[in-house]
Amino acid sequence: MTLSLTTDDDTGRDPERSADPGPPPAPHADCVSDQAGDITFTVAVPTAGGRWETLLLQRRGGDTPADSVHLPLTESPGGGSLTATLPLALRLAEGRWDAHVTRGESQRTRLRPGVNDLRTLADDAGRARRTEGAVCLPYTTKYGNLSVRTWLRWPHAEAGRIHLTEDTGTVEALLLGAEPTAHACLEARARGLDTPALIVPVTRQDAYVTARLDLAELAGRQPADRDRTEWELWLRPNGAGRHADADAVRLARILDDVPDKRAVYRYPAVRVGRNRTAAFTYTGAGDLSVEVHVRP
């Protein structure tokens, strides 16, 4: 019997040896946060093609010079990797910043996420006080790329625990950068609609405030021609006076290491009335709202 070696093609060539190696794999960056909120990116030194020079952050949708930030990449003491640090003191504009590495003026490559150590970003109100509402949070996009979500809010009302009992929702929040007065209140505004807002008083304990929302009353303000309304929650530290709009603070959750709250913080819908439900929910920006739905 004659034995012959076969391959995956009809040419007799070894496909592992003859295959086109294609482009080099996309570079990955590990991200580590420190107590000050600064983020250090670590990228492996490429094996060919020269080393990367800068880490470029570009704000999605931005077209001004301020929407591009170049951070120098320096070789780590042990060699083999390059690092760049994003200082929180830069106070990047709020939004989503896509991360690249660049070489020269024309070469740039999108970064992929590596290992993230963001433990210092988790629910640190003391850090928020020191940095006055600036937050930078690396995350993985739905396409598997590395981006940084930033917030820049001051004053800021950090949403906390939510308690549901029948048709009432109790909301807790920590107010930073402002002092709640005896007239402080919570306001639920119908997004995009000229519908009367629901205003409720709050109780205070130092910088913490608590408000009880009557979800049935909120659902009763639902316009008859709509099957869904989003009610934005705003804290008014000085009450609902004539000039209070300028001082209103949006309730949001940004002081943790969760980039998109919608998939993580979920609350059950409460039936209010015969054919309506109300549920607390977070937007893609981390803002807290109440959604009222009319069910057929």
Side-chain angles (χ1 to χ4, degrees), residues 79-98:
S81 62
L82 305 170
T83 62
T85 298
L86 171 62
L88 198 63
L90 278 181
R91 300 183 66 81
L92 296 180
E94 184 165 330
R96 299 179 185 273
W97 296 73
D98 297 329

Side-chain angles (χ1 to χ4, degrees), residues 135-253:
V135 176
C136 293
L137 178 61
Y139 73 100
T140 303
T141 72
K142 65 180 180 180
Y143 298 111
N145 295 314
L146 176 65
S147 292
V148 179
R149 182 65 170 93
T150 59
W151 287 270
L152 193 58
R153 300 190 179 187
W154 199 253
H156 168 59
E158 178 73 3
R161 291 180 296 182
I162 296 174
H163 305 274
L164 295 172
T165 55
E166 295 184 354
D167 56 0
T168 300
T170 301
V171 184
E172 299 178 0
L174 170 63
L175 180 60
L176 301 169
E179 293 291 334
T181 68
H183 304 289
C185 62
L186 184 73
E187 184 175 80
R189 304 177 183 175
R191 182 177 182 181
L193 295 176
D194 187 17
T195 301
L198 175 62
I199 300 175
V200 298
V202 302
T203 58
R204 301 171 298 149
Q205 184 175 2
D206 299 324
Y208 291 88
V209 297
T210 303
R212 296 179 69 252
L213 271 174
D214 188 329
L215 300 178
E217 182 178 354
L218 191 65
R221 297 172 183 242
Q222 177 89 352
D225 60 343
R226 295 179 66 91
D227 58 4
R228 173 189 175 276
T229 301
E230 178 186 345
W231 295 84
E232 300 177 343
L233 300 184
W234 294 78
L235 179 63
R236 287 185 160 187
N238 298 313
R242 184 176 59 179
H243 302 294
D245 278 344
D247 301 326
V249 183
R250 187 77 163 91
L251 262 71
R253 194 180 186 111

Side-chain angles (χ1 to χ4, degrees), residues 58-91:
Q58 282 197 313
R59 190 160 73 101
R60 205 172 299 170
D63 56 2
T64 69
D67 295 317
S68 295
V69 174
H70 289 265
L71 304 172
L73 284 164
T74 59
E75 190 166 353
S76 59
S81 62
L82 305 170
T83 62
T85 298
L86 171 62
L88 198 63
L90 278 181
R91 300 183 66 81

Side-chain angles (χ1 to χ4, degrees), residues 109-149:
T109 300
R110 194 76 163 86
L111 272 173
R112 297 280 186 171
V115 177
N116 287 348
D117 183 356
L118 308 176
R119 289 172 291 180
T120 62
L121 300 183
D123 196 22
D124 188 352
R127 175 176 53 79
R129 290 188 180 95
R130 295 191 300 272
T131 58
E132 296 190 349
V135 176
C136 293
L137 178 61
Y139 73 100
T140 303
T141 72
K142 65 180 180 180
Y143 298 111
N145 295 314
L146 176 65
S147 292
V148 179
R149 182 65 170 93

